[in-house]
Each structure stands twice: as C-alpha cells, then as structure tokens.
Amino acid sequence: MNTVIYQIKDTIEDAKSLTEAGRIIREGGLVAFPTETVYGLGGDALSPASSRKIYAAKGRPSDNPLIVHIANTEDLEPITADIPEAGRKLADAFWPGPLTMIFRKSEKVPKETTGGLDTVAVRMPSDPVALAFIREAGGYVAAPSANLSGKPSPTSAKYVIQDMDGRIEMILDGGDVEIGLESTIVDLTEETPTILRPGYVTKEMLEQVLGTVDADRTMMEKDTGVAPKAPGMKYRHYAPKGDLVIVEGDSACVVDYINEQTGLLEKQGEKVAVIGTEETKMLYHAEIVKSVGSRNREETIAHTLYRVLREFDDMDVTRIFSESFDTTGMGQAIMNRLLKAAGHKVIHLCRSTNSD
Ligand code: TXA
Ligand code: MG
C-alpha cells in the first residue's frame, strides 16, 4: 500500500488535507494523526472492519481494546450506556486533554472496537489537528498509539513512518507532540473511580475534582497475580531492542555503578547507552549518554523518554542503563513506562541515611 504523508501546519490552511484524511476514515481506511500525548493510528470506531484493520496494521492482539476519540462532549452520550456524575465532572475539568475515561458502552460501539468488552474507553484530545481530523472523520475515531505492537509510542511523525509506512493509507505529520506519554486512563464503571494507567493528569489532580480515587494495584508492580483491568497493560510494552535495566539508589552510587558496568561491557564489545538527566549527564563515561530532561521539570522527562528509547533502537544499542525517578506526580507515569520498558528489571544500590 502507498502511504500518503501530509504535513499539517495549520488546520485552516491545511483544511483540504484534513478533509481528505476524514474521507479515508469514513471509507474504512486508516490514518495516523498527532495528538498532544502521542501519535494515534485512527480508524472508524463504529465500524468492526476498521477496528480489525487497526489490529492488523499494529500487529496487536485483538483482545486489547481501542480508545474512541471524540471532538465534542455531546458526542459522548450516543456511545455510552450511562454517564456517571464523576464522568461529567472530569470531562468539565480535563477535556479536551490527556484523560481517557471508561464507561459502559452503548449498542452503537462494536465489540471489535472494545476488544469484546461491554465498556468503552473515550478521550477528547486537545491537539487542534486531532480535533479537526476527528470532526472530518465523522466524530468517532478509534486509535491506539501509532507504533507497531511492543515498540515505544511515537512522539513524532518520523517514528510513525518508521512503523507504519506501507501499512496504512495516510499519515498526518503535525510535528513533535507536546506531552510524550499516553493519556491517563480512569475507569468510571467501578464504585470508586480507578486509575488504570497513570499519565499527565495525576492522581492528585483527579482527587481535587472527585475526592477519593483508587489506583489499579497492578499499575506499578510486577507479577501481582492479578490481571490488570486495562488489558493492554499486561503486555510487555514500550520495549527497546537493547536490554534495559533501571538503577536505583543515591546519585553517587548510581553513577559509580553505571560507570563500572558500562566500562566492562564496552570492553566486551557491547554497545552500551546511559539514560541520565541534565543534572547528571556529564558524570557518565559511557560512549552513548543521553539526557531525558531535568529532574526539576518532570514534563521534560515525559516528553523525551520515548524518543530516547527509539534513538537507541536506531543506533542498535545492546545494553541500556537508566536512572530511576520519584513516583510522585507525573513521576508515576514516567516510572510506569520505564518499568515496562525494562521488564521490571531494577538494581537497588546503597542509600545513605541522610538521603530522602
Ligand atoms: O494518549 C493516548 O491514550 C493514546 C492517544 C493516541 O490517544 N492512545 C493510546 O492507546 O495510548 P493504546 O491503545 O496504545 O492504549 C489504550 C489502553 C490499552 O492499555 C487498553 O487495554 C486500554 O487503554 N483500554 C481501552 N479500552 C479499555 C476498556 N474498555 N477497559 C479497560 N481498558 C481499556
Ligand atoms: Mg500503545
């Protein structure tokens, strides 16, 4: 298949391209598009055939449900069986934006889209290109992240092209995304709203609106023996080609350990890379050292993490050492993704008593 790639700089100037993209969706084809979180791989959410195509293009198991993207709050009602009060409050507070909510679905949504579930995940993104495209497409666009299954989600069109060229009809290139990690997912079908996937909208932010919010206990842990409520969270996601390990402890211990290990491995001929921060990158001796951002500005780390993992893949890195991050605020989303990418391999080093 020939994949058409359009650069979208402005929703008005590029209106014709967006109309063409919308037509592809309405005719049953697939279009990758930018959102503020990561790029999505879109198809008609109300068409079973389109959803099947999405699974095929991604190489994704079809028991892993898709998020339905809408462009107007009023479009929520027809696809849900009921909208709890908490859903209305969260929509008011965070839509359009990086929050996905799970509702009981209406008949309108085919089981192919929801991976066989009676519930549906819905999100209204804030990216103006995404909103214009969804409207042109008829209002309901099912979209997982636009990566091949098992790869880090794409944060720029370059990586969508790498994974999807020849597999879908069109890619809308809207430049680099703003956030860089997937949306927060909250399940509203339980008595207490429950976070299934952490993201830019933190537990604290949700609690300010709703009071008590739970978090799925499988979110940060390995092998709890309990199945995660978001089926997608059980797969080893976001995996770089190189073997990734997280090193946790006092900064000085972490730097010493990583320098020792990378020195040894480089001698053995391995291609070794380090994920550091603005505060530490100059302390590492490995040949490849990348900063993911500043510890004082967690949003910079969220923004850069997937890109760095992809760059290591491009360089055929075989071993990766990463620093660890606090799990407060957005740090929870960052560590959730990093732990998955590392298959939960963490090395715990010394902690001096006066450290926090
Ligand atoms: O930021 C995002 O959410 C991006 C952009 C494109 O919007 N999309 C995204 O989609 O990350 P995806 O398919 O890569 O991840 C969706 C997650 C999966 O873990 C899936 O299992 C879960 O949402 N999910 C979808 N529908 C669900 C449902 N009805 N119940 C529980 N989990 C659901
Ligand atoms: Mg994904």
Side-chain angles (χ1 to χ4, degrees):
M1 183 186 301
N2 177 44
T3 304
V4 177
I5 301 166
Y6 282 146
Q7 280 203 1
I8 309 289
K9 295 221 163 67
D10 182 280
T11 52
I12 297 172
E13 270 171 41
D14 300 312
K16 262 175 96 177
S17 304
L18 289 165
T19 304
E20 201 179 320
R23 194 177 62 234
I24 290 173
I25 299 292
R26 282 185 276 109
E27 287 174 357
L30 303 183
V31 177
F33 64 101
T35 83
E36 72 280 18
T37 57
V38 298
Y39 273 76
L41 169 57
D44 180 356
L46 306 184
S47 152
S50 294
S51 291
R52 276 189 229 112
K53 275 194 195 167
I54 293 176
Y55 291 113
K58 248 185 99 79
R60 173 180 192 157
S62 60
D63 68 341
N64 190 357
L66 307 173
I67 295 174
V68 178
H69 294 69
I70 59 174
N72 306 295
T73 324
E74 308 85 81
D75 294 341
L76 181 58
E77 200 132 338
I79 54 169
T80 49
D82 67 307
I83 305 173
E85 184 57 26
R88 296 199 187 276
K89 284 187 181 162
L90 291 181
D92 276 350
F94 299 110
W95 277 2
L99 178 71
T100 296
M101 292 189 259
I102 312 251
F103 300 94
R104 292 200 300 120
K105 79 173 194 71
S106 76
E107 290 292 308
K108 218 173 145 74
V109 187
K111 290 246 175 158
E112 282 78 1
T113 301
T114 64
L117 299 174
D118 292 323
T119 55
V120 60
V122 190
R123 169 163 118 80
M124 177 155 74
S126 63
D127 184 297
V129 175
L131 289 171
F133 162 67
I134 295 163
R135 290 192 183 113
E136 290 287 346
Y140 298 102
V141 174
S145 47
N147 52 289
L148 285 174
S149 197
K151 295 262 242 161
S153 297
T155 55
S156 72
K158 174 182 165 191
Y159 294 116
V160 180
I161 296 167
Q162 208 175 70
D163 283 11
M164 291 298 154
D165 195 19
R167 304 175 79 94
I168 61 179
E169 278 79 3
M170 186 181 281
I171 296 171
L172 298 176
D173 176 355
D176 271 4
V177 302
E178 190 187 318
I179 294 175
L181 292 182
E182 305 87 344
S183 62
T184 306
I185 303 180
V186 186
D187 185 356
L188 299 177
T189 65
E190 302 279 328
E191 210 159 300
T192 310
T194 305
I195 303 175
L196 306 187
R197 178 173 75 182
Y200 182 87
V201 177
T202 62
K203 186 163 191 277
E204 293 75 21
M205 288 158 77
L206 295 168
E207 282 178 336
Q208 272 187 2
V209 178
L210 296 183
T212 317
V213 172
D214 280 346
D216 186 359
R217 138 177 125 75
T218 65
M219 219 164 63
M220 304 299 281
E221 292 165 33
K222 181 192 172 193
D223 299 337
T224 48
V226 182
K229 292 192 189 117
M233 301 299 277
K234 72 174 179 259
Y235 298 105
R236 184 176 173 234
H237 252 180
Y238 325 113
K241 285 188 215 157
D243 186 43
L244 167 63
V245 60
I246 302 168
V247 186
E248 191 258 354
D250 278 356
S251 184
C253 296
V254 169
V255 170
D256 283 351
Y257 175 84
I258 291 180
N259 280 336
E260 185 189 298
Q261 292 296 311
T262 54
L264 286 170
L265 289 163
E266 279 175 354
K267 273 199 201 112
Q268 293 167 16
E270 298 253 15
K271 191 150 188 183
V272 190
V274 177
I275 298 179
T277 52
E278 287 306 299
E279 290 77 17
T280 58
K281 64 180 181 193
M282 68 299 277
L283 302 173
Y284 293 108
H285 306 152
E287 227 163 88
I288 306 167
V289 178
K290 287 197 189 268
S291 162
V292 279
S294 168
R295 285 184 182 274
N296 302 324
R297 290 183 55 223
E298 278 180 324
E299 67 277 14
T300 59
I301 299 172
H303 187 258
T304 316
L305 179 65
Y306 283 157
R307 197 193 67 218
V308 165
L309 292 176
R310 288 265 187 176
E311 284 170 355
F312 290 162
D313 276 359
D314 292 345
M315 299 164 89
D316 289 319
V317 164
T318 57
R319 302 287 292 260
I320 308 166
F321 292 88
S322 175
E323 294 180 10
S324 183
F325 299 94
D326 280 344
T327 54
T328 51
M330 257 205 98
Q332 190 168 44
I334 294 166
M335 276 307 283
N336 168 271
R337 308 309 195 273
L338 197 56
L339 281 163
K340 279 178 181 298
H344 286 270
K345 280 195 297 296
V346 185
I347 293 173
H348 300 277
L349 298 176
C350 52
R351 281 201 163 275
S352 57
T353 44
N354 60 1
S355 78
D356 56 359

